[in-house]
Amino acid sequence: MTSSTGAARLIQLMARGAEFLGSEVAILCGAMSWVSERNLVAAMSNAGGFGLIACGAMTPELLDAEIAATKALTDKPFGVNLITMHPLLTDLIAVCTRHQVTHVVLAGGLPPAGSLEAIKAGGAKLICFAPALSLAKKLIRSGVDALVVEGMEAGGHIGPVSTSVLAQEILPEVADKVPVFVAGGIGRGEAIAAYLEMGAAGVQLGTRFVCATESIAHPNFKKAFLRASARDAVASVQLDPRLPVIPVRALKNAGGELFSAKQREVALSLDDGKTAMAEAQLQIEHYWAGALRRAVIDGDVEHGSVMAGQSVGMVTKEEPIADIIAALVGEAEVALAKRG
Ligand SMILES: Cc1cc2nc3c(=O)[nH]c(=O)nc-3n(C[C@H](O)[C@H](O)[C@H](O)COP(=O)(O)O)c2cc1C
């Protein structure tokens, strides 16, 4: 088979995901707090992929401004990633509806009561993370339009299971029901081709896009990525089993110690009865948002959090996002052409 046949096969395998997203290729740039703002999101969608604004801890007013600014930079579809535990989730959904955002991703747990209905009533397609087969089935029953299956190789907050195992468990069971996008540890097109052949509708990458020219991440943050290898991207350690701490994968640095200190502080205030469990979780999440900001925006890659996935070793240069997509697509095409 020639690589033009590889190209035709890739288009065929990505057709369902691309149609769902309204993009040329079924590759999402996963939302990354502080990194996935107007510039990266618009560049991703303009390059034929699908960008997602990371709402993170933004207020409804800030999200409103970010969506408007992104729309000014692209007329291609893009989505918004909201976090389930945000105290103003309902207002954030209303902002998305007002802007007629076409796709909303809900991250950080199952959709809270009423949120799924509100998102769909606003006309957006809802995408949720499925950390296990049982939850994938439950989410589909409750009416989500697509799933992201993300393994522990990923950067940022992670679950306990690897991408390859989740893909094998979940794709054969549910890929015919809703589009499933596989995420975590994908650095090259060969892996994209493999997951598509297993039934994925597309893929989501984060780490690979951090060093895009259009990414506003601080030069120190990008340098840390370019220097790092897979084994430098480690999961955070949970000190107190009572604390609802979701592990975070980031580059090893002194910030790991600061997180331990934060956990001790929150655990003590739980002991004293000064803090309830939900508030403790929120405090931990605020800690991460602050630590990530310190690294991404301020460039303090020693004390901040340099969230990165294990694919970080495959990030070797700063380059335009269109070139990254072209490289991924080219590798996938060659891999598919070789199948014969
Ligand atoms: C720096 C960084 C920040 C991230 N922030 C978020 C976030 O705010 N919300 C979210 O749902 N996922 C977040 N993620 C996960 C990405 O959206 C994406 O799913 C993940 O990076 C895919 O795995 P990969 O890193 O192996 O490519 C983040 C990842 C990175 C590397």
Side-chain angles (χ1 to χ4, degrees), residues 29-33 35 54 56 81 83 107 129 150 153-157 183-186 204-208 210 221 225 292 296 306-311:
C29 176
M32 297 178 277
S33 290
V35 182
N81 176 301
I83 294 175
F129 284 84
E150 182 177 75
E153 298 93 321
H157 291 72
I186 300 175
Q204 169 164 304
L205 282 67
T207 298
R208 187 74 175 82
V210 165
F221 197 85
F225 263 57
L292 184 59
V296 173
V306 188
M307 292 184 190
Q310 292 181 334
S311 62

Side-chain angles (χ1 to χ4, degrees), residues 110-327:
L110 290 174
S115 58
L116 179 141
E117 294 76 8
I119 290 166
K120 297 193 68 161
K125 290 176 181 150
L126 174 60
I127 307 171
C128 285
F129 284 84
L133 177 59
S134 54
L135 288 168
K137 287 183 173 166
K138 188 176 162 143
L139 286 164
I140 293 170
R141 275 198 306 274
S142 65
V144 307
D145 299 296
L147 296 173
V148 176
V149 168
E150 182 177 75
M152 48 86 86
E153 298 93 321
H157 291 72
I158 52 171
V161 183
S162 68
T163 306
S164 61
V165 169
L166 284 177
Q168 292 171 77
E169 282 185 355
I170 297 179
L171 289 173
E173 297 277 337
V174 305
D176 59 335
K177 299 187 178 67
V178 296
V180 181
F181 297 88
V182 172
I186 300 175
R188 291 185 53 97
E190 291 86 346
I192 297 177
Y195 287 124
L196 289 170
E197 286 191 315
M198 286 171 70
V203 290
Q204 169 164 304
L205 282 67
T207 298
R208 187 74 175 82
F209 291 120
V210 165
C211 291
T213 316
E214 298 90 341
S215 151
I216 59 143
H218 194 283
N220 292 350
F221 197 85
K222 292 185 180 177
K223 259 186 239 150
F225 263 57
L226 298 178
R227 272 201 288 261
S229 60
R231 61 179 58 213
D232 299 320
V234 295
S236 61
V237 179
Q238 182 166 3
L239 286 189
D240 187 321
R242 293 166 314 152
L243 267 185
V245 177
I246 303 164
V248 163
R249 186 175 300 286
L251 298 184
K252 266 183 277 187
N253 66 3
E257 276 311 303
L258 296 178
F259 179 52
S260 298
K262 180 69 193 175
Q263 286 189 68
R264 279 192 287 272
E265 178 197 314
V266 175
L268 273 179
S269 72
L270 269 176
D271 286 342
D272 296 349
K274 285 188 195 140
T275 308
M277 200 52 98
E279 168 60 20
Q281 186 169 12
L282 211 56
Q283 279 191 24
I284 297 283
E285 289 316 309
H286 281 151
Y287 169 85
W288 282 122
L292 184 59
R293 186 183 194 289
R294 192 168 173 178
V296 173
I297 306 294
D298 305 338
D300 182 354
V301 293
E302 226 4 79
H303 306 97
S305 173
V306 188
M307 292 184 190
Q310 292 181 334
S311 62
V312 70
M314 290 178 255
V315 183
T316 55
K317 57 176 183 278
E318 187 173 12
E319 57 189 328
I321 211 157
D323 291 5
I324 302 174
I325 292 186

Side-chain angles (χ1 to χ4, degrees), residues 60-124:
E61 293 72 29
L62 282 176
L63 179 64
D64 184 69
E66 204 55 44
I67 296 172
T70 307
K71 278 186 170 171
L73 296 174
T74 184
D75 54 5
K76 301 276 168 53
F78 61 88
V80 173
N81 176 301
L82 302 175
I83 294 175
T84 50
M85 58 261 222
H86 197 299
L88 297 176
L89 182 61
T90 311
D91 300 339
L92 296 170
I93 293 171
V95 171
C96 292
T97 301
R98 209 159 49 236
H99 280 284
Q100 298 195 302
V101 169
T102 53
H103 298 72
V104 172
V105 179
L106 265 188
L110 290 174
S115 58
L116 179 141
E117 294 76 8
I119 290 166
K120 297 193 68 161

